[in-house]
Amino acid sequence: MPPKKAPPAAELLGAHVSTAGGPQTAWQRGVDIGATAIQIFTKTPNQWKEPVITDEVAAQFKAERAKSGIRGVVSHDSYLINLASPDEAIRQRSIASFTAELTRCTTLGVEYIVSHPGNHLSDAESGLKRNAESYAECLEKVPGPVMVLLEGTAGTGTALGSTFEELAAIRNGIPAKLRERVGYCLDTCHLYSAGYDLLRDYHRVFEEFDKICGLERLRCLHLNDSKNPFDSHKDRHELIAEGTLGAEPFKQIMRDQRFVGVIKVLETPKGDDDMTTNDLKMLKRLRGYRDS
């Protein structure tokens, strides 16, 4: 049998992996699926409890990272956080939680935090303003290199960030001295569900993003097919090429030279039997698209 072909040196491709047992355990899970980049939670995402990263855990995390050979890592923030909430108590709790996330990532050496913009619950314009002010407050409290990546959403309910204009408005509402620490993450399922037609108008979608937000600020792509039709405003992920997007947009992304240095991670269903089989299959499929 010929030796397994090594991924290109520039590749940054993987999946969201579990941190059960501590964040340092994520690296071996990434190795198990052949990842060159991973996404993690630094805490339980549906709880407000904020764990503190000890020096010992941080050292283990960095040692396991070096041993793994995995080149890229992003964190995803808590599902409970709503930095755009008109309820001041919830907004302040969200600011405290996101500040704690920034602190954990700084301690661990995680370069990026992917963050869903908030839900305005009332008025989009005031929600965008609150969102930007909240991010600014958190970034001011935790100086350092960690970048926040605003993730485009599917546009469900009052969620902000389903248009490129809203993503840009949040970033532009952050003071200039902090703005360079804010970039973007795009999710293929969210884009399609929000009305950006990656299937029939791939090039126009990214031309529009470049014009409004700037492709140079895109640091992460979530590669997910969709269970729902175009412009549905619903967020349900499907396995690559097995949903309404099909294979073609993923072929184009994997061959697009503009995205070679962009971290790409799966958030597709893991399956009932184990946590690796589907990821291995999907990563093999994506690499096949790139190499064909």
Side-chain angles (χ1 to χ4, degrees):
M1 179 181 292
K4 187 177 179 181
K5 185 179 178 182
E11 183 192 82
L12 293 164
L13 180 66
H16 188 109
V17 296
S18 171
T19 53
Q24 70 278 7
T25 65
W27 298 107
Q28 185 57 49
R29 294 187 177 100
V31 170
D32 291 343
I33 59 169
T36 49
I38 57 172
Q39 179 175 273
I40 63 172
F41 291 124
T42 68
K43 59 166 279 183
T44 305
N46 56 0
Q47 295 181 10
W48 286 110
K49 184 179 179 181
E50 303 294 341
V52 175
I53 303 296
T54 65
D55 291 343
E56 181 182 5
V57 168
Q60 290 175 340
F61 184 85
K62 292 171 184 177
E64 289 298 316
R65 177 177 189 169
K67 187 168 70 173
S68 75
I70 294 171
R71 297 176 54 243
V73 58
V74 298
S75 169
H76 196 300
D77 68 354
S78 166
Y79 297 141
L80 301 179
I81 290 172
N82 184 6
L83 295 172
S85 177
D87 183 316
E88 189 59 18
I90 292 176
R91 192 174 79 91
Q92 288 301 323
R93 192 172 196 180
S94 298
I95 287 171
S97 183
F98 195 75
T99 300
E101 180 67 34
L102 277 166
T103 300
R104 285 192 295 274
C105 287
T106 301
T107 303
L108 291 170
V110 174
E111 295 93 334
Y112 303 111
I113 302 171
V114 172
S115 177
H116 290 178
N119 290 270
H120 63 76
L121 303 176
S122 56
D123 170 67
E125 186 174 350
S126 59
L128 291 167
K129 184 173 183 292
R130 287 191 298 271
N131 226 159
E133 290 173 348
S134 299
Y135 280 124
E137 183 174 337
C138 297
L139 288 165
E140 190 77 58
K141 288 178 177 177
V142 188
V146 179
M147 287 188 70
V148 174
L149 305 183
L150 307 176
E151 181 176 358
T153 64
T156 305
T158 67
L160 297 168
S162 65
T163 68
F164 299 154
E165 287 83 0
E166 286 187 346
L167 290 173
I170 296 170
R171 185 179 186 277
N172 291 337
I174 295 170
K177 66 178 181 177
L178 300 169
R179 202 177 299 150
E180 289 307 308
R181 292 177 63 195
V182 181
Y184 301 105
C185 170
L186 293 178
D187 182 308
T188 50
C189 171
H190 298 177
L191 283 169
Y192 195 59
S193 293
Y196 291 101
D197 198 348
L198 286 173
L199 180 56
R200 286 165 286 270
D201 212 356
Y202 174 90
H203 293 291
R204 185 198 61 79
V205 170
F206 286 110
E207 285 170 4
E208 186 175 344
F209 178 81
D210 190 27
K211 180 179 178 182
I212 296 169
C213 296
L215 272 173
E216 72 279 6
R217 300 187 183 101
L218 179 64
R219 303 301 177 91
C220 183
L221 281 164
H222 287 166
L223 302 185
N224 303 302
D225 210 326
S226 177
K227 292 181 181 290
N228 294 108
F230 175 66
D231 205 20
S232 64
H233 299 282
K234 294 179 180 179
D235 179 14
R236 293 192 66 205
H237 297 180
E238 181 57 284
L239 297 172
I240 301 298
E242 298 182 24
T244 54
L245 272 163
E248 191 57 34
F250 301 101
K251 290 179 180 179
Q252 295 202 67
I253 286 171
M254 291 303 296
R255 297 167 186 165
D256 196 323
Q257 291 302 301
R258 296 172 298 180
F259 302 144
V260 168
V262 174
I263 291 173
K264 306 173 191 72
V265 290
L266 297 164
E267 295 177 320
T268 47
K270 299 288 189 185
D272 298 327
D273 297 330
D274 61 69
M275 299 293 283
T276 61
T277 298
N278 278 356
D279 284 345
L280 282 165
K281 181 180 177 182
M282 293 302 102
L283 292 175
K284 181 179 180 181
R285 184 171 292 175
L286 289 169
R287 288 174 175 134
Y289 294 159
R290 179 197 62 209
D291 298 335
S292 63

